[in-house]
């Protein structure tokens, strides 16, 4: 596919990610840092770090919430970490879900935490798919240049 | 000390942060916001204290210290307390995604000069650098 058509696809994807609230201004900051700093792989690096972190944290949370006695301090610490990294990459929906999740941790609401984890997981998977598509399109555009 | 940094045109910053994603972002922002930056990193509060002490506490190894709150081994609040106990007056800024007044207070009571919520951004960084006359 020609670079122009790929670029159009990429722009449409990014627009929809912003419009749906998947990502916020912080993601735009990352894009600007990449352009201004002349560091082509910067957004990919941050996105990859976020996805790896989130994957790991979600697995840890699932394991903690399966325990007969839930250590809510540990759960909260992981959710705090995920909230921080989602904020840094501009993952708005994931960040907001983490904020609600933390409240449930503080209430020591096990069922609520299990539901919140399911929501976080879904939001993250949705975002990760979009990020993967974005990175693939960028690679294809680069290859044509 | 701030005017010396401005004259030198290179700012020496100690970033205290354990998570790679925040380090990558801070590095990029610092390099973007500041013409010349020498960046040291510490992954724990304990390492930060050691770097400040070994860098020559009285000589003022750093122009600015930016520190996360929660870290393994030693957190940012304790590191701030210990750095201040050495008599170091370098500006210290707490950086955390915990932003309740009690979280901010914890940093200020430990001796930090300022606090900024995560995520770090160009705007926040420029404000910090201007506040401490580092640009």
């Amino acid at each position: 596919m020609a670079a122009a058509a790929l670029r159009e696809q990429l722009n449409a994807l990014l627009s929809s990610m912003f419009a749906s609230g998947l990502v916020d201004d912080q993601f735009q900051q990352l894009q600007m840092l990449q352009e201004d700093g002349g560091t082509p792989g910067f957004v990919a690096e941050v996105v990859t770090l976020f996805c790896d972190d989130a994957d790991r944290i979600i697995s840890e949370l699932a394991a903690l919430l399966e325990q007969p006695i839930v250590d809510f301090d540990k759960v909260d610490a992981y959710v705090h970490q995920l909230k921080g990294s989602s904020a840094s990459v501009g993952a708005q929906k994931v960040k907001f879900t983490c904020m609600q999740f933390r409240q449930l941790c503080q209430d020591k609401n096990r069922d609520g935490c299990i539901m919140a984890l399911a929501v976080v997981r879904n939001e993250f998977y949705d975002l990760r798919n979009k990020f993967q598509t974005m990175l693939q399109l960028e690679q294809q555009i680069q290859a044509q240049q | 000390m701030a005017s010396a940094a401005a004259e030198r045109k290179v700012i020496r910053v100690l970033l205290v942060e354990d998570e790679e994603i925040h380090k990558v972002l801070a590095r990029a922002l610092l390099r973007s916001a500041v013409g010349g930056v020498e960046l040291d990193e510490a992954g724990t509060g304990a390492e930060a204290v050691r770097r400040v002490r070994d860098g020559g506490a009285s000589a003022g190894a750093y122009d600015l210290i930016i520190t996360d709150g929660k870290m393994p081994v030693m957190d940012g609040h304790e590191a701030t307390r210990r750095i201040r106990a050495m008599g170091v007056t370098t500006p210290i800024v707490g950086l955390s995604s915990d932003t309740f007044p009690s979280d901010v207070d914890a940093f200020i009571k430990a001796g930090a000069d300022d606090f900024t919520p995560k995520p770090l951004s160009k705007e926040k960084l420029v404000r910090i650098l201007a506040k401490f006359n580092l640009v």
Side-chain angles (χ1 to χ4, degrees):
Chain A
M1 196 185 287
L6 287 168
R7 173 60 64 188
E8 212 175 290
Q9 252 189 296
L10 177 59
N11 288 341
L13 172 64
L14 290 168
S15 294
S16 78
M17 286 168 72
F18 280 104
S20 63
L22 262 183
V23 294
D24 60 21
D25 287 350
Q26 181 67 16
F27 185 70
Q28 205 164 39
Q29 281 247 349
L30 301 184
Q31 291 175 304
M32 282 163 56
L33 271 173
Q34 176 166 291
E35 280 165 35
D36 295 348
T39 44
F42 176 69
V43 173
E45 183 183 7
V46 177
V47 160
T48 303
L49 279 168
F50 165 70
C51 289
D52 290 347
D53 274 354
D55 232 348
R56 175 185 54 82
I57 289 169
I58 286 169
S59 297
E60 299 280 2
L61 286 169
L64 284 169
L65 289 170
E66 278 172 9
Q67 299 304 308
I69 296 172
V70 174
D71 185 339
F72 285 103
D73 286 342
K74 273 192 183 163
V75 173
D76 184 62
Y78 276 120
V79 179
H80 166 81
Q81 199 179 333
L82 182 57
K83 182 187 150 212
S85 58
S86 61
S88 286
V89 79
Q92 184 172 243
K93 280 191 178 177
V94 174
K95 180 185 76 176
F96 284 154
T97 311
C98 287
M99 287 162 69
Q100 291 159 352
F101 199 155
R102 289 199 76 191
Q103 187 55 56
L104 293 161
C105 290
Q106 266 135 50
D107 297 341
K108 299 196 188 321
N109 181 340
R110 184 201 184 117
D111 289 342
C113 284
I114 289 170
M115 286 197 297
L117 178 59
V119 175
V120 162
R121 188 187 275 118
N122 286 342
E123 298 287 5
F124 166 62
Y125 285 170
D126 184 24
L127 179 60
R128 185 175 59 181
N129 286 341
K130 301 270 188 328
F131 275 153
Q132 282 169 347
T133 305
M134 177 192 81
L135 294 177
Q136 278 162 15
L137 284 168
E138 283 180 350
Q139 279 172 359
Q140 287 170 348
I141 290 165
Q142 285 258 326
Q144 299 238 352
Q145 282 165 356
Chain B
M1 192 180 294
S3 58
E7 273 176 30
R8 216 188 306 125
K9 295 185 169 58
V10 174
I11 297 172
R12 296 170 302 194
V13 179
L14 176 62
L15 173 67
V16 192
E17 171 61 66
D18 60 321
E19 290 175 57
E20 189 60 24
I21 191 171
H22 301 305
K23 285 194 256 191
V24 166
L25 180 59
R27 279 176 211 144
L29 282 166
L30 278 161
R31 289 187 175 121
S32 164
V34 183
V37 61
E38 281 174 14
L39 181 61
D40 267 357
E41 296 178 14
T44 69
E47 191 185 343
V49 172
R50 185 181 54 75
R51 281 183 180 272
V52 171
R53 188 182 54 232
D54 294 353
S58 58
Y62 299 104
D63 302 305
L64 176 67
I65 299 171
I66 298 175
T67 178
D68 186 18
K70 289 187 171 118
M71 286 178 289
V73 181
M74 186 190 292
D75 66 26
H77 311 117
E78 182 58 26
T80 299
R81 261 189 290 276
R82 293 198 189 192
I83 289 168
R84 288 293 183 241
M86 287 191 269
V88 172
T89 57
T90 301
I92 298 177
V93 177
L95 176 70
S96 174
S97 34
D98 283 330
T99 56
F100 292 119
S102 54
D103 303 313
V104 181
D105 274 348
F107 262 117
I108 303 302
K109 282 184 177 145
D113 299 280
D114 202 342
F115 173 89
T116 193
K118 279 181 180 174
L120 195 57
S121 68
K122 194 163 184 174
E123 251 177 12
K124 290 173 186 171
L125 189 54
V126 165
R127 182 192 69 77
I128 289 165
L129 294 171
K131 177 173 178 173
F132 299 112
N133 297 316
L134 292 172
V135 284

